[in-house]
Amino acid sequence: MGKVKKKIALIFGITGQDGSYLAEILLKKNYIIHGVKRRSSSANTERIDHLFDSLNFTNKNFYIHYGDISDGTSTLNIINKIKPDEIYNLAAQSHVRVSFDIPEYTADITALGALRILEAIKILKLKKTKYYQASSSEMYGLVKKRKSLNEKIHFHPRSIYGVSKVFAYHTAVHYREAYKIFACNGILFNHESPRRGPTFVTKKIVQGLVRIKNGQQKKLSLGNLYAIRDWGHAKDYAISMWKILQYKKPEDWVIATNKEYTVKKFVTMVAKKLEISLKWKGKGLNEKAIDTHTGKIIIDVNSKHFRPSEVDFLKGDFSKAKKLLKWKPALSTDELIDDMIDFEISNN
Ligand code: NAP
Ligand code: GDD
């Protein structure tokens, strides 16, 4: 019996939260993984170092290439060299707040980056290469009714990050329709993990409260406490990426937990697990939380963490993915918090 040819996946954004989980999942599925990493002055492979075969670089199923999706030529060259079965585009300037400060850069990476990859697939006539676009619930932006959002709800983005993701979303749909490329969008609602970047709100809250508990930090400053998010675990969302590319047709899918929490509720849940007793006082920019054991203010609100326009409500209806992909989140927000706290405690 002949050997089954291993599938080859190319991951843009492999050094990020989702890229690292996806690489782990695909390695377990016997893929050969190629990842693209951009050059940086200090190490940015912390999340994937364990996959390099203990840094001996002898893992024959795992390769890293220098590249950058702002660079169309190198992007095309990498794709041409590897000719992957599956391309996952997880690369982005992914911070919404930061996109207000660097809008042009955000559009170049988050919007045009997707176009560069799809154009390379088209130019190289890679008929069998499937493309996954990490689209975002941020695309919904200003929602009219506070109900679960599905694949049919129209987009009204509230940041250049959101606008860029809408561009990338429609570019994937367009290349599917015009050039018959197997291009799919996962419309991902917020997903977190111990590997989440430290300036996203969940990681900031867990890290901050663990440090406050340990006496390593005095206070945690936050922005809008009343934004509502649907927070899942990144491990589950990485599984959905693979499932989406295995479906018989290229389509677009909401990936979410269909549960809603305010930022304040998330703070309360983390504090409770850490046995920090909070008493909230004040309103708006004067809102604060006091540690009832010490009487000290440990959380306050700072206007610098607000955005010029906010996405107030996000909750996703993932029934299409549940029915057709047999995907559903294995981990609840509560279990996500446990995982994040455990990691923070053992790595502090
Ligand atoms: P992340 O941790 O910020 O990872 C982003 C990745 O993109 C990193 O590997 C980063 O490299 C890479 N990257 C940035 N600029 C690049 C460039 N010019 N060329 C090549 N690579 C570049 O984000 P994540 O949470 O894993 O999210 C993965 C994707 O899903 C992103 O596209 C994000 O916008 C999207 N998304 C995320 C969520 C969420 O809640 N996490 C929800 C919806 C959609 P460095 O490591 O060098 O920075
Ligand atoms: N980052 C941050 N820092 N957010 C804060 C803070 C703070 O100190 N205080 C309150 N928030 C509020 C934000 O205003 C927002 O409403 C919510 O917490 C979540 O913020 P982030 O964790 O930064 O995530 P995001 O929802 O803006 O964006 C994430 O999810 C998107 C999907 O909806 C990112 O992962 C995006 O890449 C992703 O597309």
Side-chain angles (χ1 to χ4, degrees):
M1 210 167 63
K3 263 193 178 173
V4 181
K5 193 179 160 282
K6 286 186 176 185
K7 275 195 185 170
I8 300 172
L10 173 60
I11 304 176
F12 290 91
I14 196 160
T15 57
Q17 171 187 255
D18 293 5
S20 65
Y21 285 117
L22 180 65
E24 282 171 10
I25 290 163
L26 296 182
L27 280 172
K28 282 201 190 116
K29 291 189 183 296
N30 216 17
Y31 276 61
I32 296 173
I33 313 287
H34 292 264
V36 175
K37 153 187 148 55
R38 52 187 183 153
R39 200 266 156 186
S40 70
S41 65
S42 55
N44 63 350
T45 54
E46 198 186 18
R47 296 181 177 108
I48 51 167
D49 280 342
H50 61 291
L51 301 177
F52 283 111
D53 203 12
S54 306
L55 294 183
N56 290 323
F57 300 92
T58 53
N59 187 341
K60 295 279 177 265
N61 294 326
F62 190 75
Y63 302 90
I64 292 294
H65 308 261
Y66 275 111
D68 196 303
I69 55 166
S70 65
D71 177 345
T73 317
S74 74
T75 299
L76 183 131
N77 283 339
I78 290 168
I79 295 173
N80 189 30
K81 195 161 98 185
I82 296 162
K83 297 193 173 56
D85 298 294
E86 296 171 8
I87 296 179
Y88 295 87
N89 179 24
L90 315 182
Q93 188 303 88
S94 71
H95 204 285
V96 175
R97 172 68 192 82
V98 173
S99 77
F100 288 93
D101 300 331
I102 48 170
E104 190 179 327
Y105 174 79
T106 301
D108 188 20
I109 306 309
T110 307
L112 293 181
L115 174 69
R116 291 183 186 107
I117 299 171
L118 282 158
E119 194 51 19
I121 299 173
K122 185 193 102 189
I123 291 168
L124 296 167
K125 298 189 172 55
L126 298 177
K127 301 268 181 240
K128 289 190 180 144
T129 299
K130 296 178 178 181
Y131 174 82
Y132 174 90
Q133 171 62 28
S135 285
S136 167
S137 52
E138 185 71 16
M139 300 188 301
Y140 292 113
L142 190 66
V143 298
K144 287 206 179 89
K145 281 193 191 141
R146 293 197 166 199
K147 58 168 196 174
S148 301
L149 302 158
N150 63 24
E151 293 82 0
K152 294 184 187 111
I153 308 284
H154 97 285
F155 303 138
H156 185 144
R158 300 271 282 167
S159 62
I160 285 298
Y161 170 81
V163 171
S164 302
K165 283 291 184 186
V166 172
F167 175 92
Y169 170 96
H170 284 301
T171 302
V173 173
H174 171 63
Y175 276 65
R176 177 164 86 210
E177 292 174 353
Y179 308 115
K180 311 289 171 250
I181 291 173
F182 194 107
C184 310
N185 287 288
I187 306 174
L188 305 168
F189 282 64
N190 296 50
H191 48 281
E192 322 292 310
S193 73
R195 298 183 193 169
R196 189 57 146 152
T199 60
F200 294 96
V201 79
T202 56
K203 181 75 167 184
K204 192 174 157 184
I205 293 166
V206 173
Q207 204 165 58
L209 289 181
V210 167
R211 286 183 182 162
I212 287 170
K213 178 88 184 168
N214 290 344
Q216 297 160 302
Q217 183 174 325
K218 288 203 166 74
K219 212 174 61 185
L220 173 65
S221 289
L222 294 169
N224 181 5
L225 295 174
Y226 295 96
I228 292 171
R229 289 291 182 275
D230 172 340
W231 280 296
H233 197 300
K235 259 188 214 171
D236 285 333
Y237 289 51
I239 293 169
S240 78
M241 295 172 184
W242 176 78
K243 284 196 166 221
I244 285 171
L245 288 196
Q246 312 317 306
Y247 190 63
K248 59 186 176 209
K249 288 189 288 176
E251 292 195 8
D252 310 313
W253 310 83
V254 163
I255 301 298
T257 73
N258 203 19
K259 297 275 183 314
E260 58 179 270
Y261 299 88
T262 60
V263 172
K264 188 171 173 178
K265 175 73 182 167
F266 194 94
V267 172
T268 312
M269 288 163 79
V270 176
K272 193 165 175 218
K273 285 174 188 285
L274 292 172
E275 295 176 354
I276 300 174
S277 158
L278 294 178
K279 185 170 173 3
W280 293 91
K281 275 175 73 172
K283 281 204 169 127
L285 288 176
N286 293 319
E287 189 158 7
K288 294 173 178 35
I290 294 162
D291 180 338
T292 60
H293 294 307
T294 62
K296 289 190 176 145
I297 295 168
I298 58 165
I299 298 170
D300 68 6
V301 173
N302 189 318
S303 59
K304 77 173 183 208
H305 299 303
F306 282 76
R307 293 138 195 222
S309 50
E310 174 65 286
V311 173
D312 294 317
F313 174 87
L314 289 176
K315 179 164 74 159
D317 170 2
F318 63 95
S319 38
K320 178 182 173 188
K322 188 174 175 193
K323 185 170 170 214
L324 301 177
L325 299 178
K326 310 282 175 246
W327 178 89
K328 64 176 181 182
L331 297 162
S332 65
T333 308
D334 201 60
E335 289 165 312
L336 162 73
I337 294 176
D338 287 340
D339 195 21
M340 292 180 79
I341 290 180
D342 287 349
F343 175 86
E344 226 46 60
I345 289 175
S346 29
N347 288 277
N348 214 278

